[in-house]
Short mmCIF file of all heavy atoms in Angstrom, two decimals:
data_model
loop_
_atom_site.label_atom_id
_atom_site.label_comp_id
_atom_site.label_asym_id
_atom_site.label_seq_id
_atom_site.Cartn_x
_atom_site.Cartn_y
_atom_site.Cartn_z
N MET E 17 -1.58 -62.99 -43.06
CA MET E 17 -1.04 -63.13 -41.70
C MET E 17 0.48 -63.06 -41.76
O MET E 17 1.10 -63.79 -42.52
CB MET E 17 -1.51 -64.46 -41.12
CG MET E 17 -1.31 -64.56 -39.67
SD MET E 17 -2.27 -65.98 -39.08
CE MET E 17 -1.24 -66.49 -37.76
N ARG E 18 1.05 -62.20 -40.95
CA ARG E 18 2.50 -62.07 -40.93
C ARG E 18 3.11 -63.13 -40.04
O ARG E 18 2.57 -63.48 -39.00
CB ARG E 18 2.90 -60.70 -40.40
CG ARG E 18 2.65 -59.64 -41.44
CD ARG E 18 2.98 -58.28 -40.96
NE ARG E 18 4.15 -58.24 -40.10
CZ ARG E 18 4.50 -57.17 -39.42
NH1 ARG E 18 3.79 -56.10 -39.49
NH2 ARG E 18 5.57 -57.19 -38.66
N LYS E 19 4.25 -63.61 -40.47
CA LYS E 19 4.97 -64.60 -39.68
C LYS E 19 5.90 -63.89 -38.72
O LYS E 19 6.59 -62.96 -39.11
CB LYS E 19 5.77 -65.49 -40.64
CG LYS E 19 6.09 -66.83 -40.10
CD LYS E 19 6.72 -67.68 -41.17
CE LYS E 19 6.82 -69.08 -40.67
NZ LYS E 19 7.44 -69.96 -41.63
N ARG E 20 5.87 -64.30 -37.46
CA ARG E 20 6.77 -63.68 -36.48
C ARG E 20 8.14 -64.33 -36.55
O ARG E 20 8.25 -65.53 -36.73
CB ARG E 20 6.22 -63.88 -35.07
CG ARG E 20 5.14 -62.93 -34.74
CD ARG E 20 4.85 -63.01 -33.29
NE ARG E 20 4.14 -61.83 -32.86
CZ ARG E 20 3.55 -61.71 -31.71
NH1 ARG E 20 3.58 -62.68 -30.85
NH2 ARG E 20 2.93 -60.61 -31.39
N ILE E 21 9.14 -63.50 -36.38
CA ILE E 21 10.51 -64.01 -36.35
C ILE E 21 11.02 -63.87 -34.92
O ILE E 21 10.94 -62.80 -34.33
CB ILE E 21 11.41 -63.20 -37.32
CG1 ILE E 21 10.86 -63.34 -38.75
CG2 ILE E 21 12.85 -63.66 -37.22
CD1 ILE E 21 11.51 -62.44 -39.75
N TYR E 22 11.51 -64.96 -34.38
CA TYR E 22 11.98 -64.97 -33.00
C TYR E 22 13.49 -64.93 -32.96
O TYR E 22 14.16 -65.58 -33.75
CB TYR E 22 11.49 -66.23 -32.28
CG TYR E 22 9.99 -66.30 -32.21
CD1 TYR E 22 9.28 -67.13 -33.04
CD2 TYR E 22 9.29 -65.50 -31.32
CE1 TYR E 22 7.89 -67.17 -32.98
CE2 TYR E 22 7.92 -65.52 -31.26
CZ TYR E 22 7.23 -66.37 -32.09
OH TYR E 22 5.87 -66.39 -32.03
N SER E 23 14.01 -64.19 -32.01
CA SER E 23 15.45 -64.16 -31.84
C SER E 23 15.87 -65.43 -31.12
O SER E 23 15.06 -66.11 -30.51
CB SER E 23 15.86 -62.93 -31.03
OG SER E 23 15.38 -63.03 -29.72
N GLU E 24 17.13 -65.72 -31.18
CA GLU E 24 17.65 -66.93 -30.54
C GLU E 24 17.88 -66.74 -29.05
O GLU E 24 17.96 -67.70 -28.32
CB GLU E 24 18.96 -67.35 -31.21
CG GLU E 24 18.77 -67.81 -32.64
CD GLU E 24 17.86 -69.02 -32.76
OE1 GLU E 24 18.03 -69.98 -31.99
OE2 GLU E 24 16.97 -69.00 -33.61
N LYS E 25 17.98 -65.48 -28.61
CA LYS E 25 18.27 -65.28 -27.19
C LYS E 25 17.01 -65.49 -26.35
O LYS E 25 15.89 -65.26 -26.82
CB LYS E 25 18.90 -63.92 -26.95
CG LYS E 25 18.03 -62.75 -27.24
CD LYS E 25 18.80 -61.47 -26.95
CE LYS E 25 17.86 -60.27 -27.10
NZ LYS E 25 18.50 -59.04 -26.71
N PRO E 26 17.18 -65.91 -25.10
CA PRO E 26 16.03 -66.16 -24.23
C PRO E 26 15.26 -64.88 -23.91
O PRO E 26 15.81 -63.78 -23.98
CB PRO E 26 16.64 -66.75 -22.96
CG PRO E 26 18.08 -66.89 -23.19
CD PRO E 26 18.44 -66.21 -24.46
N ILE E 27 14.00 -65.06 -23.58
CA ILE E 27 13.18 -63.93 -23.15
C ILE E 27 13.02 -64.00 -21.64
O ILE E 27 13.15 -65.06 -21.04
CB ILE E 27 11.80 -63.94 -23.84
CG1 ILE E 27 11.04 -65.24 -23.54
CG2 ILE E 27 11.94 -63.72 -25.34
CD1 ILE E 27 9.60 -65.24 -23.99
N ARG E 28 12.76 -62.85 -21.04
CA ARG E 28 12.56 -62.78 -19.59
C ARG E 28 11.14 -62.31 -19.36
O ARG E 28 10.74 -61.25 -19.85
CB ARG E 28 13.57 -61.82 -18.96
CG ARG E 28 13.54 -61.82 -17.46
CD ARG E 28 14.86 -61.28 -16.94
NE ARG E 28 14.78 -60.94 -15.54
CZ ARG E 28 14.96 -61.80 -14.55
NH1 ARG E 28 15.22 -63.05 -14.81
NH2 ARG E 28 14.89 -61.41 -13.30
N VAL E 29 10.36 -63.11 -18.64
CA VAL E 29 8.96 -62.80 -18.39
C VAL E 29 8.64 -63.00 -16.92
O VAL E 29 9.39 -63.65 -16.19
CB VAL E 29 8.02 -63.69 -19.25
CG1 VAL E 29 8.13 -63.34 -20.71
CG2 VAL E 29 8.31 -65.15 -19.03
N LYS E 30 7.54 -62.39 -16.48
CA LYS E 30 7.12 -62.50 -15.09
C LYS E 30 5.74 -63.15 -15.05
O LYS E 30 4.89 -62.85 -15.88
CB LYS E 30 7.06 -61.12 -14.44
CG LYS E 30 6.70 -61.14 -12.98
CD LYS E 30 6.68 -59.74 -12.38
CE LYS E 30 6.38 -59.80 -10.89
NZ LYS E 30 6.28 -58.47 -10.30
N ILE E 31 5.53 -64.02 -14.07
CA ILE E 31 4.22 -64.61 -13.88
C ILE E 31 3.72 -64.25 -12.48
O ILE E 31 4.48 -64.28 -11.51
CB ILE E 31 4.25 -66.14 -14.10
CG1 ILE E 31 2.83 -66.72 -14.03
CG2 ILE E 31 5.18 -66.84 -13.13
CD1 ILE E 31 2.70 -68.13 -14.56
N GLU E 32 2.46 -63.84 -12.42
CA GLU E 32 1.83 -63.46 -11.16
C GLU E 32 0.53 -64.24 -11.02
O GLU E 32 -0.08 -64.62 -12.01
CB GLU E 32 1.49 -61.97 -11.17
CG GLU E 32 2.68 -61.06 -11.32
CD GLU E 32 2.28 -59.60 -11.46
OE1 GLU E 32 1.14 -59.31 -11.86
OE2 GLU E 32 3.14 -58.74 -11.18
N GLY E 33 0.13 -64.46 -9.78
CA GLY E 33 -1.15 -65.13 -9.55
C GLY E 33 -1.00 -66.47 -8.86
O GLY E 33 0.02 -66.74 -8.22
N PRO E 34 -2.01 -67.33 -9.02
CA PRO E 34 -2.07 -68.58 -8.25
C PRO E 34 -1.22 -69.71 -8.83
O PRO E 34 -1.72 -70.76 -9.20
CB PRO E 34 -3.56 -68.92 -8.27
CG PRO E 34 -4.04 -68.36 -9.56
CD PRO E 34 -3.23 -67.11 -9.78
N VAL E 35 0.09 -69.47 -8.91
CA VAL E 35 1.04 -70.53 -9.27
C VAL E 35 1.94 -70.76 -8.07
O VAL E 35 2.08 -69.90 -7.21
CB VAL E 35 1.87 -70.17 -10.53
CG1 VAL E 35 0.99 -70.17 -11.77
CG2 VAL E 35 2.59 -68.85 -10.38
N LEU E 36 2.56 -71.91 -8.02
CA LEU E 36 3.38 -72.26 -6.85
C LEU E 36 4.57 -71.33 -6.67
O LEU E 36 4.93 -70.99 -5.55
CB LEU E 36 3.85 -73.72 -6.95
CG LEU E 36 2.75 -74.76 -6.80
CD1 LEU E 36 3.30 -76.16 -7.02
CD2 LEU E 36 2.09 -74.67 -5.43
N ASN E 37 5.21 -70.91 -7.77
CA ASN E 37 6.41 -70.08 -7.68
C ASN E 37 6.32 -68.88 -8.60
O ASN E 37 6.97 -68.83 -9.64
CB ASN E 37 7.64 -70.93 -8.05
CG ASN E 37 7.80 -72.12 -7.15
OD1 ASN E 37 7.95 -71.98 -5.95
ND2 ASN E 37 7.73 -73.31 -7.72
N PRO E 38 5.51 -67.85 -8.24
CA PRO E 38 5.43 -66.67 -9.09
C PRO E 38 6.77 -65.94 -9.12
O PRO E 38 7.58 -66.10 -8.21
CB PRO E 38 4.36 -65.81 -8.42
CG PRO E 38 4.27 -66.30 -7.03
CD PRO E 38 4.71 -67.73 -7.03
N GLY E 39 7.00 -65.18 -10.17
CA GLY E 39 8.24 -64.41 -10.26
C GLY E 39 8.73 -64.32 -11.69
O GLY E 39 7.98 -64.51 -12.63
N PHE E 40 10.03 -64.01 -11.83
CA PHE E 40 10.64 -63.83 -13.14
C PHE E 40 11.27 -65.13 -13.62
O PHE E 40 11.88 -65.86 -12.84
CB PHE E 40 11.73 -62.75 -13.07
CG PHE E 40 11.18 -61.38 -12.89
CD1 PHE E 40 11.06 -60.82 -11.63
CD2 PHE E 40 10.77 -60.63 -13.99
CE1 PHE E 40 10.54 -59.54 -11.46
CE2 PHE E 40 10.26 -59.35 -13.83
CZ PHE E 40 10.14 -58.81 -12.56
N TYR E 41 11.14 -65.39 -14.91
CA TYR E 41 11.72 -66.58 -15.53
C TYR E 41 12.32 -66.24 -16.88
O TYR E 41 11.84 -65.37 -17.57
CB TYR E 41 10.64 -67.66 -15.73
CG TYR E 41 10.17 -68.27 -14.43
CD1 TYR E 41 9.10 -67.70 -13.73
CD2 TYR E 41 10.81 -69.36 -13.88
CE1 TYR E 41 8.68 -68.24 -12.53
CE2 TYR E 41 10.40 -69.90 -12.67
CZ TYR E 41 9.33 -69.33 -12.00
OH TYR E 41 8.93 -69.87 -10.80
N SER E 42 13.38 -66.98 -17.23
CA SER E 42 13.97 -66.89 -18.57
C SER E 42 13.53 -68.12 -19.35
O SER E 42 13.70 -69.25 -18.87
CB SER E 42 15.49 -66.85 -18.50
OG SER E 42 15.91 -65.64 -17.93
N LEU E 43 12.96 -67.90 -20.50
CA LEU E 43 12.50 -68.99 -21.36
C LEU E 43 13.04 -68.80 -22.76
O LEU E 43 13.47 -67.71 -23.14
CB LEU E 43 10.96 -68.99 -21.44
CG LEU E 43 10.20 -69.35 -20.18
CD1 LEU E 43 9.73 -68.10 -19.48
CD2 LEU E 43 9.02 -70.20 -20.52
N ASP E 44 12.99 -69.87 -23.55
CA ASP E 44 13.39 -69.77 -24.95
C ASP E 44 12.39 -68.90 -25.69
O ASP E 44 11.20 -68.92 -25.39
CB ASP E 44 13.42 -71.16 -25.60
CG ASP E 44 14.55 -72.03 -25.05
OD1 ASP E 44 15.56 -71.47 -24.59
OD2 ASP E 44 14.41 -73.26 -25.09
N ALA E 45 12.87 -68.15 -26.67
CA ALA E 45 11.98 -67.35 -27.51
C ALA E 45 10.95 -68.28 -28.14
O ALA E 45 11.27 -69.40 -28.54
CB ALA E 45 12.80 -66.65 -28.59
N GLY E 46 9.70 -67.83 -28.17
CA GLY E 46 8.63 -68.64 -28.73
C GLY E 46 7.89 -69.47 -27.70
O GLY E 46 6.91 -70.14 -28.02
N ALA E 47 8.33 -69.44 -26.43
CA ALA E 47 7.65 -70.19 -25.37
C ALA E 47 6.26 -69.59 -25.13
O ALA E 47 6.04 -68.40 -25.33
CB ALA E 47 8.47 -70.16 -24.09
N SER E 48 5.34 -70.43 -24.67
CA SER E 48 3.96 -69.97 -24.45
C SER E 48 3.67 -69.78 -22.97
O SER E 48 4.47 -70.14 -22.10
CB SER E 48 2.99 -71.01 -25.02
OG SER E 48 3.01 -72.18 -24.22
N GLY E 49 2.48 -69.24 -22.69
CA GLY E 49 2.04 -69.09 -21.31
C GLY E 49 1.96 -70.42 -20.59
O GLY E 49 2.27 -70.52 -19.40
N LYS E 50 1.57 -71.46 -21.30
CA LYS E 50 1.50 -72.80 -20.68
C LYS E 50 2.89 -73.26 -20.25
O LYS E 50 3.05 -73.88 -19.20
CB LYS E 50 0.86 -73.80 -21.64
CG LYS E 50 -0.63 -73.59 -21.77
CD LYS E 50 -1.28 -74.66 -22.60
CE LYS E 50 -2.78 -74.47 -22.57
NZ LYS E 50 -3.50 -75.52 -23.27
N ASP E 51 3.90 -72.98 -21.08
CA ASP E 51 5.29 -73.31 -20.72
C ASP E 51 5.70 -72.58 -19.45
O ASP E 51 6.35 -73.15 -18.57
CB ASP E 51 6.25 -72.93 -21.85
CG ASP E 51 5.99 -73.69 -23.14
OD1 ASP E 51 5.60 -74.87 -23.07
OD2 ASP E 51 6.19 -73.10 -24.22
N LEU E 52 5.32 -71.31 -19.36
CA LEU E 52 5.67 -70.49 -18.20
C LEU E 52 4.99 -71.01 -16.93
O LEU E 52 5.63 -71.11 -15.88
CB LEU E 52 5.29 -69.03 -18.46
CG LEU E 52 5.56 -68.04 -17.32
CD1 LEU E 52 7.02 -68.03 -16.92
CD2 LEU E 52 5.11 -66.65 -17.73
N ILE E 53 3.72 -71.38 -17.03
CA ILE E 53 2.99 -71.92 -15.87
C ILE E 53 3.66 -73.20 -15.38
O ILE E 53 3.86 -73.41 -14.19
CB ILE E 53 1.51 -72.16 -16.23
CG1 ILE E 53 0.81 -70.81 -16.42
CG2 ILE E 53 0.82 -72.99 -15.15
CD1 ILE E 53 -0.55 -70.92 -17.09
N GLU E 54 4.06 -74.05 -16.32
CA GLU E 54 4.74 -75.30 -15.97
C GLU E 54 6.07 -75.00 -15.27
O GLU E 54 6.41 -75.61 -14.27
CB GLU E 54 4.97 -76.11 -17.25
CG GLU E 54 5.45 -77.51 -16.99
CD GLU E 54 5.55 -78.31 -18.28
OE1 GLU E 54 4.59 -78.31 -19.07
OE2 GLU E 54 6.61 -78.92 -18.48
N MET E 55 6.81 -74.02 -15.79
CA MET E 55 8.10 -73.65 -15.20
C MET E 55 7.92 -73.09 -13.79
O MET E 55 8.79 -73.26 -12.94
CB MET E 55 8.78 -72.63 -16.10
CG MET E 55 10.25 -72.55 -15.92
SD MET E 55 10.96 -71.55 -17.24
CE MET E 55 12.61 -72.17 -17.18
N ALA E 56 6.79 -72.43 -13.55
CA ALA E 56 6.51 -71.82 -12.24
C ALA E 56 5.91 -72.84 -11.27
O ALA E 56 5.42 -72.46 -10.21
CB ALA E 56 5.58 -70.63 -12.42
N GLY E 57 5.91 -74.10 -11.61
CA GLY E 57 5.46 -75.15 -10.70
C GLY E 57 4.00 -75.51 -10.83
O GLY E 57 3.48 -76.30 -10.07
N GLY E 58 3.30 -74.89 -11.80
CA GLY E 58 1.89 -75.20 -12.00
C GLY E 58 1.01 -74.38 -11.07
O GLY E 58 1.47 -73.59 -10.26
N TYR E 59 -0.29 -74.60 -11.22
CA TYR E 59 -1.27 -73.88 -10.41
C TYR E 59 -1.27 -74.37 -8.97
O TYR E 59 -0.97 -75.53 -8.70
CB TYR E 59 -2.68 -74.07 -10.98
CG TYR E 59 -2.89 -73.45 -12.33
CD1 TYR E 59 -3.13 -74.23 -13.45
CD2 TYR E 59 -2.86 -72.07 -12.50
CE1 TYR E 59 -3.35 -73.66 -14.69
CE2 TYR E 59 -3.06 -71.49 -13.74
CZ TYR E 59 -3.31 -72.29 -14.83
OH TYR E 59 -3.52 -71.72 -16.05
N ILE E 60 -1.64 -73.50 -8.05
CA ILE E 60 -1.87 -73.90 -6.66
C ILE E 60 -3.08 -74.83 -6.67
O ILE E 60 -4.08 -74.52 -7.32
CB ILE E 60 -2.13 -72.65 -5.78
CG1 ILE E 60 -0.86 -71.79 -5.71
CG2 ILE E 60 -2.61 -73.05 -4.39
CD1 ILE E 60 -1.07 -70.44 -5.03
N PRO E 61 -3.01 -75.97 -5.97
CA PRO E 61 -4.14 -76.91 -5.98
C PRO E 61 -5.46 -76.24 -5.59
O PRO E 61 -5.50 -75.41 -4.69
CB PRO E 61 -3.73 -77.96 -4.95
CG PRO E 61 -2.23 -77.88 -4.92
CD PRO E 61 -1.88 -76.44 -5.19
N GLY E 62 -6.51 -76.57 -6.32
CA GLY E 62 -7.84 -76.04 -6.04
C GLY E 62 -8.12 -74.69 -6.68
O GLY E 62 -9.17 -74.11 -6.47
N THR E 63 -7.20 -74.20 -7.49
CA THR E 63 -7.35 -72.89 -8.12
C THR E 63 -8.31 -72.96 -9.31
O THR E 63 -8.24 -73.88 -10.10
CB THR E 63 -5.98 -72.39 -8.63
OG1 THR E 63 -5.10 -72.30 -7.52
CG2 THR E 63 -6.10 -71.04 -9.29
N GLN E 64 -9.19 -71.98 -9.38
CA GLN E 64 -10.07 -71.83 -10.54
C GLN E 64 -9.50 -70.72 -11.41
O GLN E 64 -9.43 -69.57 -10.98
CB GLN E 64 -11.49 -71.46 -10.09
CG GLN E 64 -12.17 -72.53 -9.28
CD GLN E 64 -12.56 -73.73 -10.12
OE1 GLN E 64 -12.93 -73.59 -11.26
NE2 GLN E 64 -12.46 -74.91 -9.55
N ILE E 65 -9.08 -71.04 -12.61
CA ILE E 65 -8.50 -70.05 -13.52
C ILE E 65 -9.52 -69.69 -14.58
O ILE E 65 -10.12 -70.57 -15.18
CB ILE E 65 -7.21 -70.60 -14.19
CG1 ILE E 65 -6.15 -70.91 -13.14
CG2 ILE E 65 -6.68 -69.63 -15.23
CD1 ILE E 65 -5.61 -69.71 -12.41
N LYS E 66 -9.69 -68.39 -14.81
CA LYS E 66 -10.66 -67.93 -15.80
C LYS E 66 -10.00 -67.48 -17.10
O LYS E 66 -10.67 -67.02 -18.00
CB LYS E 66 -11.48 -66.77 -15.21
CG LYS E 66 -12.34 -67.22 -14.05
CD LYS E 66 -13.09 -66.06 -13.45
CE LYS E 66 -13.87 -66.54 -12.24
NZ LYS E 66 -14.38 -65.47 -11.42
N THR E 67 -8.69 -67.63 -17.20
CA THR E 67 -7.97 -67.23 -18.40
C THR E 67 -8.28 -68.21 -19.53
O THR E 67 -8.30 -69.41 -19.32
CB THR E 67 -6.45 -67.23 -18.14
OG1 THR E 67 -6.19 -66.43 -16.98
CG2 THR E 67 -5.69 -66.66 -19.30
N GLU E 68 -8.51 -67.68 -20.72
CA GLU E 68 -8.77 -68.55 -21.87
C GLU E 68 -7.51 -69.29 -22.28
O GLU E 68 -6.43 -68.71 -22.32
CB GLU E 68 -9.27 -67.71 -23.05
CG GLU E 68 -10.64 -67.13 -22.84
CD GLU E 68 -11.11 -66.37 -24.06
OE1 GLU E 68 -10.76 -66.77 -25.18
OE2 GLU E 68 -11.82 -65.38 -23.89
N ASP E 69 -7.67 -70.57 -22.59
CA ASP E 69 -6.52 -71.38 -23.01
C ASP E 69 -5.82 -70.80 -24.23
O ASP E 69 -4.61 -70.91 -24.35
CB ASP E 69 -6.96 -72.82 -23.31
CG ASP E 69 -7.12 -73.64 -22.05
OD1 ASP E 69 -6.64 -73.19 -20.98
OD2 ASP E 69 -7.70 -74.73 -22.12
N SER E 70 -6.57 -70.20 -25.14
CA SER E 70 -5.96 -69.67 -26.36
C SER E 70 -4.92 -68.60 -26.04
O SER E 70 -3.91 -68.49 -26.72
CB SER E 70 -7.02 -69.11 -27.30
OG SER E 70 -7.74 -68.07 -26.66
N ILE E 71 -5.16 -67.83 -24.98
CA ILE E 71 -4.20 -66.80 -24.56
C ILE E 71 -2.91 -67.46 -24.08
O ILE E 71 -1.82 -67.00 -24.36
CB ILE E 71 -4.80 -65.91 -23.46
CG1 ILE E 71 -5.95 -65.08 -24.04
CG2 ILE E 71 -3.74 -65.01 -22.82
CD1 ILE E 71 -6.77 -64.35 -23.00
N LEU E 72 -3.05 -68.57 -23.37
CA LEU E 72 -1.88 -69.26 -22.81
C LEU E 72 -1.06 -69.98 -23.88
O LEU E 72 0.07 -70.36 -23.64
CB LEU E 72 -2.31 -70.24 -21.73
CG LEU E 72 -3.00 -69.61 -20.52
CD1 LEU E 72 -3.40 -70.69 -19.53
CD2 LEU E 72 -2.13 -68.58 -19.85
N GLU E 73 -1.65 -70.19 -25.06
CA GLU E 73 -0.93 -70.88 -26.13
C GLU E 73 -0.16 -69.92 -27.03
O GLU E 73 0.65 -70.34 -27.83
CB GLU E 73 -1.92 -71.72 -26.95
CG GLU E 73 -2.44 -72.90 -26.14
CD GLU E 73 -3.54 -73.67 -26.84
OE1 GLU E 73 -3.82 -73.37 -28.02
OE2 GLU E 73 -4.11 -74.56 -26.21
N GLN E 74 -0.40 -68.63 -26.88
CA GLN E 74 0.30 -67.64 -27.70
C GLN E 74 1.73 -67.46 -27.21
O GLN E 74 1.99 -67.55 -26.01
CB GLN E 74 -0.43 -66.30 -27.67
CG GLN E 74 -1.79 -66.36 -28.31
CD GLN E 74 -2.54 -65.05 -28.16
OE1 GLN E 74 -2.03 -64.07 -27.64
NE2 GLN E 74 -3.77 -65.04 -28.62
N PRO E 75 2.66 -67.19 -28.14
CA PRO E 75 4.05 -66.97 -27.73
C PRO E 75 4.18 -65.75 -26.82
O PRO E 75 3.52 -64.74 -27.05
CB PRO E 75 4.78 -66.73 -29.04
CG PRO E 75 3.89 -67.28 -30.10
CD PRO E 75 2.49 -67.16 -29.57
N LEU E 76 5.01 -65.87 -25.80
CA LEU E 76 5.28 -64.76 -24.89
C LEU E 76 6.30 -63.82 -25.51
O LEU E 76 7.09 -64.23 -26.35
CB LEU E 76 5.82 -65.30 -23.56
CG LEU E 76 4.86 -66.18 -22.75
CD1 LEU E 76 5.63 -66.91 -21.67
CD2 LEU E 76 3.75 -65.35 -22.15
N GLU E 77 6.29 -62.58 -25.06
CA GLU E 77 7.26 -61.60 -25.53
C GLU E 77 8.16 -61.19 -24.39
O GLU E 77 7.74 -61.19 -23.23
CB GLU E 77 6.54 -60.39 -26.10
CG GLU E 77 5.71 -60.73 -27.33
CD GLU E 77 4.97 -59.52 -27.88
OE1 GLU E 77 5.32 -58.38 -27.52
OE2 GLU E 77 4.05 -59.74 -28.66
N ASP E 78 9.38 -60.80 -24.71
CA ASP E 78 10.34 -60.38 -23.70
C ASP E 78 9.77 -59.22 -22.89
O ASP E 78 9.21 -58.27 -23.44
CB ASP E 78 11.64 -59.95 -24.38
CG ASP E 78 12.76 -59.72 -23.38
OD1 ASP E 78 12.91 -60.52 -22.46
OD2 ASP E 78 13.49 -58.72 -23.53
N GLY E 79 9.84 -59.33 -21.57
CA GLY E 79 9.36 -58.28 -20.68
C GLY E 79 7.88 -58.40 -20.33
O GLY E 79 7.36 -57.59 -19.57
N GLN E 80 7.21 -59.39 -20.89
CA GLN E 80 5.77 -59.55 -20.65
C GLN E 80 5.50 -60.00 -19.22
O GLN E 80 6.30 -60.70 -18.60
CB GLN E 80 5.21 -60.58 -21.62
CG GLN E 80 3.70 -60.74 -21.56
CD GLN E 80 3.18 -61.64 -22.67
OE1 GLN E 80 3.85 -61.89 -23.66
NE2 GLN E 80 1.98 -62.15 -22.47
N ILE E 81 4.34 -59.58 -18.67
CA ILE E 81 3.87 -60.04 -17.37
C ILE E 81 2.59 -60.83 -17.62
O ILE E 81 1.65 -60.32 -18.20
CB ILE E 81 3.59 -58.87 -16.41
CG1 ILE E 81 4.88 -58.10 -16.13
CG2 ILE E 81 2.97 -59.38 -15.11
CD1 ILE E 81 4.68 -56.83 -15.33
N LEU E 82 2.60 -62.09 -17.19
CA LEU E 82 1.42 -62.94 -17.30
C LEU E 82 0.74 -62.94 -15.94
O LEU E 82 1.26 -63.49 -14.97
CB LEU E 82 1.82 -64.35 -17.72
CG LEU E 82 0.67 -65.35 -17.93
CD1 LEU E 82 -0.27 -64.86 -19.03
CD2 LEU E 82 1.21 -66.71 -18.29
N ASN E 83 -0.41 -62.26 -15.86
CA ASN E 83 -1.13 -62.15 -14.60
C ASN E 83 -2.34 -63.07 -14.66
O ASN E 83 -3.25 -62.87 -15.46
CB ASN E 83 -1.55 -60.71 -14.35
CG ASN E 83 -2.14 -60.51 -12.96
OD1 ASN E 83 -2.81 -61.39 -12.42
ND2 ASN E 83 -1.86 -59.38 -12.38
N LEU E 84 -2.37 -64.07 -13.78
CA LEU E 84 -3.43 -65.06 -13.77
C LEU E 84 -4.50 -64.76 -12.71
O LEU E 84 -5.33 -65.59 -12.43
CB LEU E 84 -2.85 -66.46 -13.53
CG LEU E 84 -1.84 -66.91 -14.59
CD1 LEU E 84 -1.22 -68.22 -14.17
CD2 LEU E 84 -2.48 -67.02 -15.95
N GLY E 85 -4.44 -63.59 -12.11
CA GLY E 85 -5.44 -63.22 -11.11
C GLY E 85 -4.87 -63.31 -9.70
O GLY E 85 -3.66 -63.43 -9.51
N LYS E 86 -5.77 -63.26 -8.74
CA LYS E 86 -5.34 -63.26 -7.33
C LYS E 86 -4.86 -64.63 -6.89
O LYS E 86 -5.37 -65.64 -7.30
CB LYS E 86 -6.49 -62.79 -6.44
CG LYS E 86 -6.86 -61.36 -6.72
CD LYS E 86 -7.84 -60.82 -5.73
CE LYS E 86 -8.10 -59.39 -6.10
NZ LYS E 86 -8.82 -58.62 -5.18
N ARG E 87 -3.90 -64.61 -5.97
CA ARG E 87 -3.37 -65.85 -5.37
C ARG E 87 -4.33 -66.40 -4.38
O ARG E 87 -4.96 -65.76 -3.65
CB ARG E 87 -2.06 -65.54 -4.66
CG ARG E 87 -0.89 -66.08 -5.41
CD ARG E 87 0.38 -65.74 -4.69
NE ARG E 87 0.83 -66.83 -3.85
CZ ARG E 87 1.61 -67.82 -4.26
NH1 ARG E 87 2.00 -67.86 -5.49
NH2 ARG E 87 1.98 -68.76 -3.45
#
């Protein structure tokens, strides 16, 4: 298994779907999907998410779009 090397500069990612504040965010390199969801204000109350938790725990990459489904 190769070890990933992260740059020190922040990454810019977009989150779409049933979160309170979808849009673009700057996060530290190595941040996960869960970090991004928290930064976007969390899920809209009553939302059923079908995304696997393991996907949300993986590090995000610069320019990535995290789509959680329909709002």
Side-chain angles (χ1 to χ4, degrees):
M17 194 166 148
R18 286 178 37 190
K19 204 173 189 181
R20 281 191 161 168
I21 299 171
Y22 298 103
S23 66
E24 293 299 314
K25 65 180 186 174
I27 59 170
R28 187 159 166 85
V29 291
K30 183 179 183 184
I31 186 166
E32 299 174 338
V35 291
L36 292 175
N37 301 300
F40 289 95
Y41 290 90
S42 291
L43 292 98
D44 291 334
S48 70
K50 287 186 174 184
D51 297 325
L52 178 57
I53 290 166
E54 190 175 311
M55 201 169 202
Y59 294 114
I60 294 172
T63 300
Q64 295 289 325
I65 298 294
K66 295 177 183 167
T67 307
E68 291 183 33
D69 280 346
S70 60
I71 293 170
L72 298 179
E73 291 173 6
Q74 294 175 4
L76 296 166
E77 296 179 16
D78 190 43
Q80 185 172 342
I81 297 173
L82 183 60
N83 188 325
L84 300 174
K86 295 189 179 190
R87 253 179 96 88

